């Protein structure tokens, strides 16, 4: 009887090997893209955003993303303004998203949002301008629009 069960299992695997191989390849590609590509793209996007603000620079220690748990982590980020004055920094930012809950509620759902050792250097100059205001994107041309609504679960 054990031989017939084993033979049936082998026959089933032979019939389904293409599907199993396809799922294995997709899982491998998902993992490679998440573990390798996402941190590279995120670093570039952050650096490009800061590079667009004259006189500012950002230093990022490490960016990691786990595509299977949807957890992102940024370590040792420091944002400096003109003349290298520190504006903001943190030791660690960890975000863990819940995919199924977010889809169910049609709103971003986070299992964890952790910010460790945040530092924010806020100053107002002699003209009454906030030093962090230079980081905000310029307002779009045209009439002012209402604040968009963000659903919260």
């Amino acid at each position: 009887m054990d031989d017939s069960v084993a033979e049936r299992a082998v026959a089933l695997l032979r019939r389904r090997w293409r599907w199993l191989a396809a799922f294995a390849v997709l899982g491998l590609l998902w993992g490679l893209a998440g573990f390798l590509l996402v941190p590279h793209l995120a670093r570039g996007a952050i650096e490009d955003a800061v590079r667009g603000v004259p006189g500012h620079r950002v230093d990022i220690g490490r960016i990691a993303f786990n595509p299977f748990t949807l957890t992102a982590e940024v370590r040792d980020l420091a944002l400096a303004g003109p003349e290298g004055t520190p504006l903001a920094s943190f030791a660690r930012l960890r975000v863990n998203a819940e995919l199924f809950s977010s889809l169910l509620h049609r709103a971003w759902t986070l299992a964890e949002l952790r910010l460790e050792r945040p530092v924010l250097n806020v100053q107002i100059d002699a003209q009454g301008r906030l030093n962090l205001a230079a980081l905000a994107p310029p307002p779009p041309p045209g009439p002012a629009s209402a604040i968009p609504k963000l659903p919260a679960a």
Side-chain angles (χ1 to χ4, degrees):
M1 183 165 168
D2 290 333
D3 290 334
S4 65
V5 171
E7 288 173 5
R8 280 189 270 161
V10 168
L12 180 65
L13 286 176
R14 284 185 184 153
R15 287 193 305 263
R16 307 282 188 222
W17 75 271
R18 287 185 182 138
W19 285 103
L20 293 173
F23 281 125
V25 168
L26 285 174
L28 179 66
L29 290 175
W30 177 260
L32 286 174
F35 285 113
L36 301 176
L37 190 60
V38 169
H40 176 73
L41 293 174
R43 180 182 296 273
I46 293 168
E47 290 173 346
D48 287 346
V50 174
R51 200 175 295 127
V53 181
H56 291 73
R57 68 180 179 82
V58 65
D59 293 320
I60 305 169
R62 179 175 171 262
I63 297 178
F65 179 71
N66 185 330
F68 300 109
T69 62
L70 297 180
T71 302
E73 186 169 287
V74 180
R75 290 189 173 264
D76 302 321
L77 185 136
L79 177 63
E83 295 96 35
T85 56
L87 292 178
S89 66
F90 56 81
R92 178 179 169 199
L93 171 66
R94 182 179 172 89
V95 179
N96 184 356
E98 290 187 350
L99 176 66
F100 297 113
S101 181
S102 295
L103 292 173
L104 179 67
H105 298 293
R106 289 183 280 158
W108 289 106
T109 306
L110 302 178
E112 179 183 16
L113 177 62
R114 179 181 302 177
L115 182 62
E116 295 178 3
R117 291 186 298 204
V119 176
L120 190 60
N121 181 14
V122 181
Q123 296 177 351
I124 299 175
D125 64 12
Q127 288 81 27
R129 293 178 301 206
L130 189 65
N131 63 341
L132 299 176
L135 298 172
S145 62
I147 297 174
K149 294 180 181 179
L150 297 174

